[in-house]
Amino acid sequence: MPGWDRKIIHLDMDCFYAAIEQRDNPELRGKPVGVGGSRHRRGVLTTCSYEARPFGVRSAMPTFLALQKCPELIVVPTRFDVYRRESQRIREIMGVFTELIEPLSLDEAYLDVSHLSFEPAAVAFEIRERIHEETGLTASAGIAANKLLAKIASDMNKPNGQCVVAPGEVAAFMESLPVRKLWGVGGVSAGKMERRGIRTCGQLQQLSRVELHGLFGRFGLELYELCRGIDDRAVQPHRPRKSLSTEETFTQDLTTLAECERRLAILHADLMRDLAGKREPRPIRKVFVKLKFSNFTRTTVECVAPEPNLAILNGLLEQGFRRGAGLAVRLLGAGVRFAEIADEPRQMTLSM
């Protein structure tokens, strides 16, 4: 197809967990629904329905806060066995069209359909139609010549819609796109840009590679390409997992290091069991301990180690606990980071 060197689809299910709950329980349809932990157990919402969003309810929000914003919110517990089953059904539908599928989570994936002679928008529409027919769920899609643009586009016409960024439209699309839409741009980097009057990718394009490197280091070199819609990453069907962890949010805060050590021993046992159950064992590069304190601040302590020895984890825990300066601990986690199979950094040139 003229102009399309690659045809990439980013498929994103609409409020996946909440949509499944509303599908399976007709009494929840049309009502604000949150999926996650109980308010009385310091739960956090994994997602919420579109009906809940106008109230300011969002995923990863503490349940008690979500209920303050939306007292009518119906909170239902997670059913990950059901979500995984539905995710597999959706994956099988995608597989009818291409083998080049890169899952990002249970509810989203990249698809490379470059080998098909059909218009990529038509392929995306057909996939979305089949998903709805077979599961009763809706999906949104972004279609573009690379992963960056496809993922941004999939959010443009949600829910149950799709957006195409054709190769000839990239420059115009990026000109007015907010910089916060770019991969890797968070609150700190966006704030730094805003202080310089930069809010759109078009404005960011006015800075040279040297200027961007001076402001953001190595990430600045990547920003030079991202703000122009340039992304050469391939769809990776067998993307290796980078880490594995387990964590617990406590009903009552842990106030002493000894209490934390006792809980960490249980988490360590869970982590070792999960590692033993992995289908493809990989070398461990680092181990880490994560803490969230009573004021909701977080800290992660890690070190290079070939295995998550409990003595090493206890040492990391002690460092992290000291960082809390006496604050109680509401969440504790332990995990490992795997060694990279191949380190392939993007090659960029430094020029004015």
Side-chain angles (χ1 to χ4, degrees):
M1 185 178 299
W4 289 86
D5 295 328
R6 291 189 299 165
K7 294 180 282 187
I8 309 298
I9 297 171
H10 178 257
L11 193 80
D12 192 11
M13 300 302 297
D14 299 320
C15 296
F16 188 49
Y17 302 166
I20 290 174
E21 299 302 333
Q22 289 179 315
R23 180 199 66 182
D24 293 351
N25 184 354
E27 294 183 0
L28 299 178
R29 295 173 189 172
K31 298 178 181 179
V33 175
V35 180
S38 164
R39 165 174 53 186
H40 304 295
R41 296 185 179 180
R42 295 186 172 178
V44 173
L45 296 184
T46 59
T47 191
C48 63
S49 67
Y50 282 106
E51 293 86 354
R53 298 192 177 190
F55 296 90
V57 178
R58 296 289 183 269
S59 61
M61 177 177 285
T63 305
F64 79 89
L65 180 57
L67 287 167
Q68 288 178 4
K69 290 179 175 290
C70 180
E72 302 302 316
L73 184 71
I74 302 171
V75 181
V76 298
T78 54
R79 297 186 297 155
F80 280 106
D81 56 333
V82 177
Y83 309 151
R84 292 189 186 97
R85 184 186 68 216
E86 294 302 295
S87 179
Q88 183 58 38
R89 292 176 65 188
I90 294 164
R91 193 78 47 80
E92 290 170 359
I93 294 171
M94 296 178 191
V96 172
F97 297 83
T98 180
E99 295 180 354
L100 297 175
I101 302 170
E102 180 181 339
L104 301 180
S105 61
L106 291 179
D107 61 345
E108 64 174 319
Y110 289 114
L111 295 80
D112 189 330
V113 295
S114 303
H115 62 289
L116 300 179
S117 60
F118 305 103
E119 291 276 352
V123 176
F125 184 83
E126 178 66 20
I127 294 173
R128 292 173 48 240
E129 284 287 289
R130 291 200 188 185
I131 289 173
H132 186 255
E133 290 172 2
E134 296 188 24
T135 70
L137 304 170
T138 64
S140 296
I143 304 98
N146 64 47
K147 292 163 73 172
L148 167 71
L149 294 169
K151 185 169 176 61
I152 293 172
S154 68
D155 197 44
M156 292 295 182
N157 292 320
K158 272 186 164 291
N160 196 25
Q162 62 183 52
C163 174
V164 181
V165 183
E169 301 169 349
V170 174
F173 181 80
M174 298 303 298
E175 178 71 24
S176 59
L177 186 75
V179 291
R180 285 181 177 269
K181 294 286 187 179
L182 295 177
W183 173 87
V185 176
V188 175
S189 52
K192 186 179 293 187
M193 293 178 197
E194 288 181 5
R195 287 191 291 274
R196 296 176 64 96
I198 298 172
R199 293 180 174 81
T200 68
C201 289
Q203 293 169 328
L204 191 60
Q205 291 171 15
Q206 303 307 308
L207 300 184
S208 68
R209 283 191 174 96
V210 170
E211 290 173 311
L212 285 169
H213 184 269
L215 285 170
F216 302 103
R218 184 175 179 181
F219 182 52
L221 303 181
E222 193 163 0
L223 278 173
Y224 184 87
E225 295 193 349
L226 294 178
C227 71
R228 289 167 170 77
I230 300 171
D231 178 16
D232 58 5
R233 294 173 299 158
V235 171
Q236 298 177 326
H238 303 291
R239 191 173 59 140
R241 188 169 190 165
K242 295 184 177 180
S243 64
L244 180 68
S245 64
T246 183
E247 62 184 42
E248 181 181 1
T249 299
F250 306 113
T251 304
Q252 293 184 328
D253 290 341
L254 307 183
T255 58
T256 68
L257 179 60
E259 288 179 298
C260 292
E261 288 175 342
R262 286 193 291 271
R263 296 291 187 140
L264 183 60
I266 298 173
L267 291 173
H268 174 256
D270 292 340
L271 179 62
M272 296 303 292
R273 184 186 65 246
D274 292 344
L275 284 169
K278 278 180 57 60
R279 294 180 181 179
E280 299 178 5
R282 289 172 52 202
I284 293 170
R285 182 170 59 91
K286 291 184 177 182
V287 301
F288 64 88
V289 170
K290 178 173 69 173
L291 301 93
K292 182 192 289 184
F293 300 103
S294 55
N295 64 351
F296 289 90
T297 59
R298 301 169 181 258
T299 189
T300 299
V301 189
E302 62 182 43
C303 70
V304 176
E307 62 179 23
N309 180 285
L310 183 56
I312 295 175
L313 291 175
N314 278 329
L316 298 176
L317 170 64
E318 184 176 358
Q319 293 180 51
F321 189 80
R322 286 202 304 267
R323 291 179 185 178
L327 290 172
V329 175
R330 61 177 284 118
L331 176 147
L332 189 60
V336 300
R337 305 194 196 284
F338 298 112
E340 296 290 337
I341 292 179
D343 186 10
E344 299 178 350
R346 299 178 64 173
Q347 298 298 313
M348 299 185 183
T349 58
L350 182 63
S351 62
M352 297 298 290

